[in-house]
């Protein structure tokens, strides 16, 4: 069965600095998707960034970028120029097509604190 | 405007009560999901529906009963719950074949069982 592991329950970063959140996953599939979702105190899960496994190029969305290492099954999120609004829980997620639909599996989350 | 609306946002119920959570998606998606979010645990997938048909039941106790009358609406009927069922219940939807392959979440329903 596929699993997603986030080994950092909590991280802190100074405003304007850079932080990297770690994620590893386990799968025997070759075709899948990886995501980072942000959950602020409002509890609304918001998509941050998405990576298709067949693409070698790392995804980038403004201040957010990933380091996707397929062989190592690693998918870390880098946040540059951290802002106070980045403070939230961050969830790494894995998705593949199975049983007629996409199945999404999430990690336990990393709480990011941004220090002013 | 989230595209996925959940009601009620907060619910307190006794162990003998019967209540329901409702989810509606306005995105034209074909798949809908129920997840349970408890403290310090991964989001737990409960049920998946694709074009109204249940495609996944992740060993969920029968005191949780899902209903999907159409692709836009999903219910979670609750009966004889236990205190450990207290959690945030998240509804989500996605569109198969969407090259973006993204799951969209509602704001969740906070459930407290007393």
């Amino acid at each position: 069965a596929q699993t997603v592991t986030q080994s950092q329950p909590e991280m802190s970063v100074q405003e304007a600095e850079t932080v990297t959140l770690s994620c590893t996953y386990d799968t025997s599939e070759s075709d899948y998707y990886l995501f980072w979702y942000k959950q602020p105190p409002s509890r609304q899960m918001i998509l941050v960034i998405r990576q298709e496994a067949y693409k070698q190029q790392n995804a980038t969305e403004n201040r957010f970028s990933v380091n996707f290492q397929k062989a190592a099954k690693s998918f870390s999120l880098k946040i540059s120029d951290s802002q106070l609004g980045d403070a939230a829980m961050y969830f790494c997620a894995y998705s593949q097509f199975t049983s007629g639909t996409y199945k999404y599996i999430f990690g336990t989350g990393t709480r990011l604190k941004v220090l002013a | 405007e989230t595209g996925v609306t959940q009601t009620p946002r907060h619910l307190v119920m006794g162990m003998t009560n019967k209540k329901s959570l409702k989810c509606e998606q306005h995105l034209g998606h074909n798949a809908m999901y129920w997840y349970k979010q408890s403290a310090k645990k991964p989001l737990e997938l409960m049920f998946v529906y694709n074009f109204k048909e249940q495609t996944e039941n992740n060993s969920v106790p029968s005191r949780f009963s899902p209903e999907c009358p159409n692709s836009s609406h999903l219910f979670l009927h609750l009966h004889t719950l236990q205190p450990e069922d207290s959690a945030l219940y998240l509804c989500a939807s996605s569109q198969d074949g969407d090259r973006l392959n993204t799951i969209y979440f509602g704001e969740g329903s906070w459930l407290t069982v007393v």
Side-chain angles (χ1 to χ4, degrees):
Chain A
Q2 292 80 13
T3 58
V4 177
T5 301
Q6 293 179 250
S7 59
Q8 305 154 316
E10 190 170 294
M11 294 281 285
S12 295
V13 62
Q14 205 69 34
E15 197 176 6
E17 296 295 309
T18 296
V19 65
T20 298
L21 308 184
S22 301
C23 174
T24 58
Y25 59 95
D26 187 26
T27 184
S28 58
E29 303 294 325
S30 60
D31 187 18
Y32 51 87
Y33 299 80
L34 297 165
F35 307 81
W36 279 97
Y37 278 85
K38 169 185 177 181
Q39 188 179 43
S42 69
R43 294 291 177 169
Q44 177 70 54
M45 295 275 276
I46 302 165
L47 176 68
V48 175
I49 199 165
R50 172 197 307 106
Q51 175 81 41
E52 291 137 291
Y54 66 86
K55 288 187 176 180
Q56 293 188 344
Q57 186 175 5
N58 289 325
T60 300
E61 286 286 342
N62 300 313
R63 298 182 294 108
F64 299 88
S65 61
V66 299
N67 183 3
F68 174 47
Q69 301 290 326
K70 191 171 185 178
K73 296 179 183 174
S74 170
F75 183 62
S76 60
L77 174 70
K78 185 172 83 171
I79 306 174
S80 305
D81 185 25
S82 297
Q83 300 175 0
L84 295 177
D86 295 333
M89 281 289 286
Y90 285 81
F91 291 93
C92 179
Y94 164 99
S95 169
Q96 69 171 72
F97 194 77
T98 183
S99 301
T101 193
Y102 283 100
K103 185 176 177 179
Y104 298 82
I105 300 167
F106 289 80
T108 50
T110 296
R111 181 173 302 282
L112 178 66
K113 294 184 177 181
V114 181
L115 308 173
Chain B
E1 182 64 36
T2 169
V4 180
T5 305
Q6 290 187 240
T7 54
R9 294 294 311 281
H10 295 87
L11 177 63
V12 179
M13 60 185 289
M15 289 190 282
T16 58
N17 290 161
K18 285 185 181 180
K19 297 285 185 183
S20 297
L21 305 180
K22 178 183 175 182
C23 177
E24 183 175 2
Q25 58 98 356
H26 314 275
L27 302 168
H29 290 166
N30 63 282
M32 296 189 75
Y33 309 75
W34 279 116
Y35 281 88
K36 176 183 178 182
Q37 186 176 20
S38 306
K40 299 182 181 179
K41 286 186 177 181
L43 268 70
E44 299 172 52
L45 177 63
M46 300 176 72
F47 302 103
V48 182
Y49 278 82
N50 190 4
F51 290 110
K52 304 190 303 177
E53 299 299 319
Q54 188 179 114
T55 59
E56 181 98 15
N57 178 339
N58 208 19
S59 301
V60 180
S62 59
R63 57 186 185 269
F64 294 92
S65 174
E67 178 190 359
C68 188
N70 54 60
S71 294
S72 299
H73 293 84
L74 184 64
F75 296 88
L76 189 62
H77 302 301
L78 315 169
H79 176 50
T80 322
L81 294 192
Q82 304 298 313
E84 60 264 29
D85 297 322
S86 299
L88 178 69
Y89 288 84
L90 291 166
C91 175
S93 70
S94 71
Q95 177 62 43
D96 293 343
D98 175 3
R99 67 174 184 84
L100 300 179
N101 179 24
T102 300
I103 188 170
Y104 295 86
F105 286 87
E107 293 180 287
S109 293
W110 279 104
L111 174 65
T112 303
V113 181
V114 297

